[in-house]
Amino acid sequence: QHEVGKPLRNCYSLPGLDFTYGMYVHKRDGGVAEAIGHWDSVKPRKTRNKEKIMPRDFLTMNRGAVDAGCTTAREFGLYYKFMDIRCKDENRFLTGWVSKIPADMTFGRPARPSTPIYDIIQHRYKEMWMERQRARTKLQIIEKKKLDQVRGNRTTYLRTHKPPPKEESFWHPARFEKVEPHLSTFPDTETREKALSA
């Protein structure tokens, strides 16, 4: 049975007390005296006299080829062959740029302004929030009133604005004005003229 409160035993034998676990890395560490007396400095690399070969600047060469009138791939290839334009080394301008920086210049983002403590004590931010909420509530009430109003249709418009009555016109075409009546119901012409004059 397993022993209570103890891990299981294995069959491996452990090395002695003089054994060091892990990998030993030889390190020269002589303490403060060696750190002060022996200063490890990096030796500068010997620069060659040959200039660094920069990559080709295809953007400038493409622009120049288009300006020269090249349209096919063969013409572009010939232009690249005879007009070998290289990218400019940007690191050579770094030393001159650094020297022009003003001494009192501060880098980084500016700190945000401090919160006024008097506004916090007087609950100014709470009052501003309450005013915004009141204005928002007023706008919501106005919009709700607009939505609650019944939209008028043609029937409601005609109830309030009655159209004017149409006047009957006794106009007849000109071709019917000279036509004489076929029937005469009056006994004589005097009676007819008297009736029409009335």
Side-chain angles (χ1 to χ4, degrees), residues 15-86:
L17 297 174
D18 57 343
F19 182 77
T20 304
Y21 291 92
M23 187 173 67
Y24 178 74
V25 179
H26 177 72
K27 200 171 184 181
R28 188 183 66 185
D29 190 4
V32 179
E34 188 175 349
I36 294 173
H38 301 81
W39 185 262
D40 291 335
S41 59
V42 179
K43 295 179 180 179
R45 296 179 181 177
K46 294 180 180 179
T47 56
R48 297 179 181 177
N49 294 332
K50 295 182 180 179
E51 292 184 359
K52 183 180 176 182
I53 300 173
M54 300 298 294
R56 301 176 81 180
D57 190 2
F58 284 100
L59 292 175
T60 310
M61 285 193 292
N62 288 343
R63 251 186 256 115
V66 170
D67 292 340
C70 299
T71 54
T72 61
R74 185 174 180 278
E75 293 174 353
F76 270 86
L78 291 172
Y79 187 86
Y80 294 158
K81 186 176 180 181
F82 293 107
M83 299 291 291
D84 190 11
I85 301 172
R86 299 287 174 171

Side-chain angles (χ1 to χ4, degrees), residues 4-190:
V4 180
K6 291 184 179 180
L8 291 176
R9 296 181 181 179
N10 53 16
C11 58
Y12 299 108
S13 60
L14 298 177
L17 297 174
D18 57 343
F19 182 77
T20 304
Y21 291 92
M23 187 173 67
Y24 178 74
V25 179
H26 177 72
K27 200 171 184 181
R28 188 183 66 185
D29 190 4
V32 179
E34 188 175 349
I36 294 173
H38 301 81
W39 185 262
D40 291 335
S41 59
V42 179
K43 295 179 180 179
R45 296 179 181 177
K46 294 180 180 179
T47 56
R48 297 179 181 177
N49 294 332
K50 295 182 180 179
E51 292 184 359
K52 183 180 176 182
I53 300 173
M54 300 298 294
R56 301 176 81 180
D57 190 2
F58 284 100
L59 292 175
T60 310
M61 285 193 292
N62 288 343
R63 251 186 256 115
V66 170
D67 292 340
C70 299
T71 54
T72 61
R74 185 174 180 278
E75 293 174 353
F76 270 86
L78 291 172
Y79 187 86
Y80 294 158
K81 186 176 180 181
F82 293 107
M83 299 291 291
D84 190 11
I85 301 172
R86 299 287 174 171
C87 294
K88 297 178 180 178
D89 191 4
E90 297 178 356
N91 294 330
R92 61 179 177 174
F93 301 109
L94 190 61
T95 55
W97 180 73
V98 172
S99 61
K100 295 179 182 178
I101 297 175
D104 57 346
M105 184 174 179
T106 306
F107 294 93
R109 295 176 60 186
R112 69 185 188 91
S114 60
T115 307
I117 193 66
Y118 292 107
D119 291 345
I120 296 173
I121 294 172
Q122 296 173 358
H123 304 288
R124 176 65 184 154
Y125 295 104
K126 179 190 136 189
E127 295 296 331
M128 290 168 60
W129 182 80
M130 291 294 291
E131 289 175 5
R132 287 198 298 268
Q133 293 299 318
R134 288 190 200 103
R136 184 181 175 188
T137 309
K138 287 180 182 178
L139 287 174
Q140 288 178 351
I141 292 170
I142 293 169
E143 290 178 358
K144 189 176 180 183
K145 284 182 179 179
K146 289 180 181 178
L147 292 174
D148 291 343
Q149 291 178 356
V150 179
R151 191 175 178 185
N153 52 13
R154 184 173 175 78
T155 307
T156 56
Y157 180 77
L158 290 175
R159 283 177 187 165
T160 54
H161 304 83
K162 292 184 178 180
K166 293 183 179 180
E167 297 180 359
E168 295 182 5
S169 61
F170 297 99
W171 178 82
H172 299 286
R175 59 181 179 171
F176 296 123
E177 290 181 357
K178 296 182 180 180
V179 177
E180 295 180 359
H182 294 284
L183 296 175
S184 180
T185 56
F186 296 100
D188 52 0
T189 56
E190 293 178 2

